[in-house]
Amino acid sequence: MLPTPYDRLHADLRAFIPAERLIVDPLRTLAYGTDASFYRLIPKIVAVVQNEDEVARLLHHARALGTPVTFRAAGTSLSGQAVSDSVLVLLGEGWRGCTIPPGAATVTLQPGIIGAEANRKLAPFGRKIGPDPASIATAKIGGIAANNSSGMCCGTAQNSYRTLASMRLLLADGTLLDTGDAASRAAFGKSHGPLLATLRDLGERTRADADLAARIHRKFAIKNTTGYSLNALVDFEDPFEILQHLMIGSEGTLGFIAEITYRTVPEYADKASALLLFPDIAEACRAVALLKAAPVDAVELMDRAALHSVQGKPGMPAVIRGLDERAACLLVETRAADAAALTGNITAINAVLAGCTLLHPAEFSTDPAECEKYWKIRKGLFPAVGAVRKTGTTVIIEDVAFPIDRLAEATVELQHLFEHYGYHEAIIFGHALEGNLHFVFTQAFDTDAEVDRYRRFMDAVAAMVVNTYEGSLKAEHGTGRNMAPFVEMEWGAQAYGLMKEIKALLDPHGLLNPGVILNDDPEAHLKHLKSLPAADPLVDKCIECGFCEPTCPSHTFTLSPRQRIAGWREIARLSGSGEQARREALHAAYDHQGIDTCAACGLCSTACPVGIETGLLIKALRGRRATPAQRRLGRFAAEHFETALGVARTGLKIADLARKVVGNDAVTATAGALRRLSGDRLPHVPRSLPTPLNFVPGPAAGGGPAVVYVPSCSSRTMGPAADDPEKTPLPQKVEGLFRKAGFRVLYPEGLSGLCCGMALESKGFAQEADAKADEMVAAIRAASNDGHLPVVIDTSPCAFRLKRHLAEDGLKVLDLVEFIHDHLLDRLDFTKRSEPAVLHLACSLRRMGLEGKLQAVAAKCAEQVVVPDGVGCCGFAGDKGFTQPDLNAHALRHLKAGVPQDGKAGYSTSRTCEIGLAHHSGMPYRSIVYLVDACTTAKVPEAQAARAAEPAF
């Protein structure tokens, strides 16, 4: 039951927002209220809005009832600006618009599009948006603009404030203004003339005060996101410009950014990087000051403690290990429009560095792999600390900025503060070109003493940054809650008074994100601290940053990996708290939201800073909750696998017979009705259901080098869909292709009972799954002469599972795509098709790093290769497409729009994924083998004979 007035607000909102987008249950309000900061507030209502009208009406009702409202995009903010104990407003699917005019000098973006996605759309034009935060692959444009996020390369010249062209915004009273539209400006001038006059007056007063204006200019000469963007008052006279620039960095406290038009910046393809090592931090910082005038695009500073945290990681340069404890380094990148200009940049930079003391000569590399190795050092710093923190502590990353000429002494003083307050694990790194330092440390909040240590440390940091160096307490992460008590200290009473006037003018009732940026409570940063209790060793290292969320097929459908972990932590915390009723309520909801609808695809681990695979936790929980009967069934399936496949085959036969008698539409409709009547206990029957297959290999035939081919159990059981024009089963197609390329195909003994164990593992039966994998390994070891012959698996999930299972074994298995790319391309003649090849990059293929090889193979076959936007994991997840079809539908909601009109077939590397892909795209999906076979012929006999005589491996 919601407390008044929230129950009334909930009723009012239901008049125009569907119930499924108004979240009030205890699990999801907890989960959706979680952001990347170390604060915890649980909203009363989470409202998912889809358009401007819904936002305006929500603001109207909230204002009438006096209920605060907080807007949130991706929730990657680190300072507590995206949490609320009132109404949390999230962006739904309707906010992903991107408009690029001819020439791409500007781009118009809605707040729900992810920054990296915007850059992908701009890439063909050689342009990008200016802001480049480290979270750009997750952070959405609304949050990037509302926090004035910057990053490694954009500095102060290319952030949202500097590259803003126009904006659509909604004020607290629900009024919409489009600053790029003359009619909207005119209407706003009539309805809000006094507001514009006040903004004009604030600007005139500020510019007339020479000391204040000079202070503002000086404060924003370096990175600064503390408080409001007061530079708008001195940079502009037009009140519309003042208003829209005040919105940048306002963290949702002044209004809602509904759309933003940026001036884009060049994205140069020619780049070079160098790792520069210095004897001490002072010399490194002196080099930074000199490099400021050089043609550099990024200069990242790392202290010795930072380098210690990554020096043992794979791929790190060996030279790091031998550095003196006083050493420091700079990672420098330069970019140019062409190779000649890049060479000129490097020459100019080396001339500057000639006046510096380096431990080794500067060596710039243009090799992308080498440069990536350098940048892995920088990107690995934050997770390196997170990975070694004690369970129960959180990782805090703060950012400050200093004038460049005082960067060295400020860095040393910051290191002394770490020692004094006992943060011995702390590291320092940052965007040195802008005087911007990040420092990372671990902190527990479970005792008063620890909270007090944090308080004393932050007081000391604030005093040092402001009083000693006149720096910025927040350079790019936003003021939020944790720096709000210090805003007046940094800016002084006069400037702080201006900020309060701005807030009162634009949010007179104080309902927009209260407590953020301006907060009269001097201890606000010490309240509502989030605990990270032990929940399970598989996920205890999670810092709830949310980087995983864009990869997750169930995100916004039920829960994301971050939300699953947050929910399970709370259930674990409540286990010994005496709050049994709340724990039971959360646990009951978690069965469906957390466990049943998790695809366990593992893509979250590829985006996680500390490599957490949330699916491993979910599979473990499935095993723990399994009933004795379910365990017996799992053991029976493992021990009688051929029988289990026979049962599946029988089901497919029944469906196929029904389809032949009454038609595909009738079968699908009837099955859907029966599923609903059963309370979703019966399986979903997609239109693209495979026909039954019982593949039994024939004897080995042909000459040439041998290859061991292992068709997966799904490939042996599931033939093409009934409505697929292609009727040849996958194993036959693979064998035919291999023979065409001059290979002799062998199969392991006992194939009909073999399985990698993937299906059992996904149900939580780890022991049985590993037993099946061991059986398969023994069979392929025998067939391949203990690994002397290549072993190829035709389904990526199975290949991936066996690769992991064999990680310490030495026996090598190849995914089908891997084998085609590495060993068949030069044995076949290709003829390209004009019809586009539409690809689905299966999760397991991505996790094996083979998506590039699949695209390369497809490019040999087709003039155009298309990977639909917005499609990651398909959510079919083995059998989830049958048992949880809404997950599959949600994961593929953007698929049809991404398929070109002339697309006639899609290609993938997982038979079960292809079922859902075909169902939701309306066209057949098949293994990539079908495309390769259709586009190739055998080499001419002479060349083929020469190939056959050569050793293939």
Side-chain angles (χ1 to χ4, degrees):
M1 179 68 68
L2 288 168
T4 305
Y6 293 99
D7 55 351
R8 182 176 168 189
L9 177 63
H10 187 253
D12 290 343
L13 297 180
R14 281 186 310 205
F16 59 94
I17 298 178
E20 62 267 21
R21 290 198 276 118
L22 292 173
I23 298 167
V24 294
D25 64 273
L27 176 60
R28 288 189 297 163
T29 50
L30 166 80
Y32 278 72
T34 298
D35 78 346
S37 74
F38 49 94
Y39 295 97
R40 170 81 76 213
L41 288 170
I42 301 176
K44 306 292 190 305
I45 300 172
V46 177
V48 182
V49 294
Q50 295 283 34
N51 52 55
E52 293 170 351
D53 180 64
E54 289 184 355
V55 175
R57 294 175 71 179
L58 183 149
L59 288 171
H60 167 76
H61 289 288
R63 188 170 67 254
L65 294 168
T67 50
V69 172
T70 294
F71 302 111
R72 190 171 106 181
T76 58
S77 50
L78 296 159
S79 304
Q81 55 265 60
V83 294
S84 170
D85 58 0
S86 181
V87 179
L88 187 66
V89 180
L90 302 184
L91 300 173
E93 289 285 314
W95 300 95
R96 299 174 67 246
C98 173
T99 303
I100 302 174
T106 63
V107 61
T108 299
L109 301 165
Q110 288 188 307
I113 190 170
I114 292 172
E117 184 179 347
N119 280 342
R120 282 194 294 272
K121 293 178 182 295
L122 286 165
F125 305 94
R127 310 291 291 182
K128 65 176 182 175
I129 61 172
D132 61 339
S135 58
I136 195 167
T138 304
K140 296 178 179 177
I141 291 297
I144 290 173
N147 288 280
N148 198 21
S149 305
S150 47
M152 286 182 275
C153 296
C154 86
T156 56
Q158 295 182 348
N159 59 20
S160 290
Y161 181 92
R162 294 297 179 192
T163 58
L164 169 65
S166 66
M167 179 187 295
R168 286 175 69 89
L169 59 97
L170 282 152
L171 294 183
D173 63 4
T175 302
L176 175 67
L177 167 65
D178 185 345
T179 65
D181 179 74
S184 179
R185 288 163 65 113
F188 191 83
K190 292 179 180 178
S191 64
H192 288 70
L195 184 150
L196 293 173
T198 303
L199 286 174
R200 185 181 290 109
D201 177 64
L202 283 174
E204 290 172 352
R205 281 166 42 201
T206 304
R207 293 189 296 274
D209 187 326
D211 289 341
L212 178 59
R215 177 169 172 74
I216 291 171
H217 280 303
R218 189 168 62 251
K219 292 287 292 177
F220 285 104
I222 59 176
K223 282 188 178 183
N224 192 328
T225 57
T226 309
Y228 289 123
S229 299
L230 292 183
N231 44 344
L233 299 175
V234 296
D235 291 342
F236 303 100
E237 295 182 8
D238 180 353
F240 287 103
E241 290 288 356
I242 292 173
L243 176 57
Q244 69 173 1
H245 283 84
L246 282 172
M247 293 292 291
I248 300 295
S250 66
E251 300 174 18
T253 64
L254 302 180
F256 174 78
I257 299 173
E259 185 180 85
I260 187 168
T261 298
Y262 283 118
R263 291 184 291 274
T264 60
V265 301
E267 171 63 305
Y268 295 128
D270 288 277
K271 304 174 185 179
S273 295
L275 189 68
L276 309 178
L277 302 174
F278 297 87
D280 54 47
I281 200 85
E283 185 64 11
C285 291
R286 191 173 76 83
V288 171
L290 295 173
L291 287 168
K292 184 73 175 174
V296 294
D297 291 271
V299 178
E300 293 292 300
L301 172 69
M302 290 167 270
D303 70 356
R304 184 65 183 98
L307 295 175
H308 266 304
S309 71
V310 295
Q311 66 184 25
K313 304 292 182 183
M316 297 297 105
V319 68
I320 294 177
R321 286 186 177 275
L323 292 177
D324 184 84
E325 290 306 305
R326 295 173 300 166
C329 83
L330 296 178
L331 178 54
V332 177
E333 180 170 283
T334 181
R335 302 174 179 179
D338 54 50
L342 184 66
T343 300
N345 286 358
I346 294 171
T347 301
I349 295 168
N350 281 330
V352 169
L353 292 173
C356 302
T357 301
L358 284 85
L359 296 177
H360 301 276
E363 293 184 6
F364 279 87
S365 174
T366 57
D367 177 18
E370 187 71 11
C371 293
E372 178 61 24
K373 184 170 69 174
Y374 293 154
W375 285 99
K376 273 185 72 176
I377 300 173
R378 166 61 179 84
K379 294 173 184 177
L381 297 179
F382 182 34
V385 176
V388 298
R389 69 180 175 84
K390 294 180 181 178
T391 300
T393 65
T394 190
V395 178
I396 297 177
I397 178 170
E398 282 295 352
D399 77 309
V400 294
F402 303 99
I404 293 291
D405 59 352
R406 304 199 69 186
L407 184 60
E409 56 184 308
T411 304
V412 171
E413 189 166 343
L414 189 54
Q415 290 173 327
H416 290 160
L417 288 178
F418 292 152
E419 287 298 316
H420 181 74
Y421 290 97
Y423 294 104
H424 303 296
E425 78 293 347
I427 65 172
I428 296 175
F429 59 94
H431 317 315
L433 209 59
E434 306 299 331
N436 178 195
L437 295 183
H438 297 316
F439 52 97
V440 180
F441 58 100
T442 61
Q443 175 70 55
F445 292 121
D446 55 349
T447 66
D448 291 342
E450 277 295 286
V451 174
D452 185 62
R453 179 169 72 122
Y454 176 71
R455 176 187 61 77
R456 290 184 290 112
F457 173 65
M458 290 307 296
D459 286 348
V461 168
M464 184 264 284
V465 172
V466 173
N467 298 332
T468 306
Y469 298 101
E470 200 173 356
S472 307
L473 288 171
K474 279 295 184 182
E476 61 179 7
H477 290 173
T479 309
R481 296 175 181 277
N482 72 323
M483 209 50 71
F486 300 93
V487 174
E488 185 172 7
M489 174 187 179
E490 174 172 334
W491 277 99
Q494 184 182 12
Y496 191 68
L498 271 179
M499 294 182 190
K500 295 184 79 170
E501 285 188 69
I502 291 166
K503 174 69 171 175
L505 176 66
L506 295 174
D507 181 22
H509 301 291
L511 297 179
L512 296 184
N513 210 1
V516 169
I517 295 186
L518 305 183
N519 197 318
D520 293 332
D521 183 353
E523 295 192 340
H525 62 307
L526 305 176
K527 295 177 179 177
H528 310 296
L529 298 171
K530 177 169 66 179
S531 64
L532 297 177
D536 191 288
L538 291 168
V539 297
D540 281 340
K541 296 301 182 185
C542 175
I543 54 180
E544 299 184 1
C545 64
F547 284 14
C548 55
E549 291 188 335
T551 68
C552 179
S554 62
H555 178 43
T556 73
F557 171 57
T558 51
L559 300 180
S560 70
R562 163 168 66 176
Q563 294 165 345
R564 285 186 168 90
I565 293 171
W568 191 248
R569 277 178 169 154
E570 182 67 359
I571 291 169
R573 185 189 70 81
L574 292 170
S575 295
S577 70
E579 299 179 60
Q580 191 62 21
R582 174 172 166 77
R583 182 184 182 278
E584 289 176 359
L586 291 177
H587 211 306
Y590 198 86
D591 273 353
H592 175 71
Q593 301 279 343
I595 299 177
D596 292 340
T597 54
C598 176
C601 62
L603 283 183
C604 51
S605 67
T606 65
C608 175
V610 291
I612 294 168
E613 184 179 341
T614 309
L616 294 179
L617 169 67
I618 299 304
K619 286 185 275 194
L621 295 179
R622 287 171 183 165
R624 293 176 205 171
R625 75 171 186 178
T627 65
Q630 289 170 329
R631 288 197 167 280
R632 286 194 296 273
L633 183 59
R635 283 194 297 272
F636 178 85
E639 294 167 3
H640 304 85
F641 196 73
E642 191 170 355
T643 301
L645 289 184
V647 172
R649 221 173 264 119
T650 299
L652 292 176
K653 286 179 181 177
I654 293 171
D656 191 47
L657 178 61
R659 191 184 293 114
K660 291 174 180 176
V661 173
V662 300
N664 210 0
D665 290 340
V667 169
T668 302
T670 302
L674 291 173
R675 175 174 166 79
R676 288 189 293 274
L677 287 172
S678 72
D680 291 344
R681 291 181 180 86
L682 292 177
H684 166 67
V685 178
R687 287 185 51 84
S688 51
L689 193 70
T691 54
L693 176 66
N694 186 12
F695 175 74
V696 178
V707 58
V708 177
Y709 168 40
V710 187
S712 70
C713 52
S714 60
S715 301
R716 303 193 308 266
T717 309
M718 299 178 178
D723 58 356
D724 189 343
E726 175 59 68
K727 301 302 180 185
T728 305
L730 176 59
Q732 289 179 224
K733 187 65 70 172
V734 171
E735 181 175 329
L737 179 67
F738 286 2
R739 289 185 175 182
K740 184 194 297 184
F743 284 95
R744 183 164 57 96
V745 181
L746 307 178
Y747 293 89
E749 290 290 332
L751 178 64
S752 59
L754 294 183
C755 173
C756 70
M758 173 66 76
L760 293 162
E761 181 195 14
S762 68
K763 294 289 187 292
F765 301 136
Q767 186 175 348
E768 291 81 0
D770 285 345
K772 291 304 296 180
D774 288 340
E775 283 182 23
M776 178 173 274
V777 168
I780 61 178
R781 187 179 296 281
S784 65
N785 190 19
D786 202 23
H788 286 86
L789 298 178
V791 178
V792 182
I793 300 178
D794 63 10
T795 303
S796 290
C798 304
F800 178 62
R801 171 162 167 74
L802 273 190
K803 282 174 180 278
R804 292 180 72 173
H805 190 74
L806 291 167
E808 306 298 327
D809 186 280
L811 182 65
K812 186 177 180 181
V813 297
L814 301 175
D815 181 85
L816 181 57
V817 165
E818 194 174 10
F819 184 73
I820 292 173
H821 180 276
D822 294 352
H823 302 293
L824 297 195
L825 295 188
D826 62 348
R827 290 172 164 263
L828 299 165
D829 286 323
F830 284 80
T831 302
K832 287 191 177 184
R833 288 182 165 187
S834 58
E835 175 189 316
V838 182
L839 299 185
H840 175 69
L841 309 178
C843 312
S844 45
L845 190 83
R846 294 173 189 258
R847 295 185 69 189
M848 290 185 287
L850 298 178
E851 63 268 44
K853 291 189 175 183
L854 175 62
Q855 291 171 291
V857 169
K860 293 279 287 184
C861 301
E863 298 288 349
Q864 181 187 12
V865 176
V866 177
V867 180
D869 283 341
V871 180
C873 171
C874 71
F876 205 92
D879 67 350
K880 291 293 179 189
F882 300 123
T883 62
Q884 300 287 338
D886 289 346
L887 172 63
N888 184 224
H890 178 78
L892 296 180
R893 63 196 182 280
H894 303 303
L895 174 60
K896 204 160 191 175
V899 172
Q901 289 186 346
D902 54 346
K904 296 178 181 177
Y907 301 95
S908 185
T909 57
S910 170
R911 184 65 190 93
T912 52
C913 294
E914 291 152 15
I915 300 170
L917 291 161
H919 180 79
H920 290 287
S921 69
M923 68 180 186
Y925 265 79
R926 314 171 186 125
S927 168
I928 188 65
V929 166
Y930 289 90
L931 179 63
V932 174
D933 185 60
C935 296
T936 58
T937 55
K939 290 280 188 181
V940 294
E942 294 81 4
Q944 185 74 308
R947 288 288 183 191
E950 297 172 359
F953 304 95

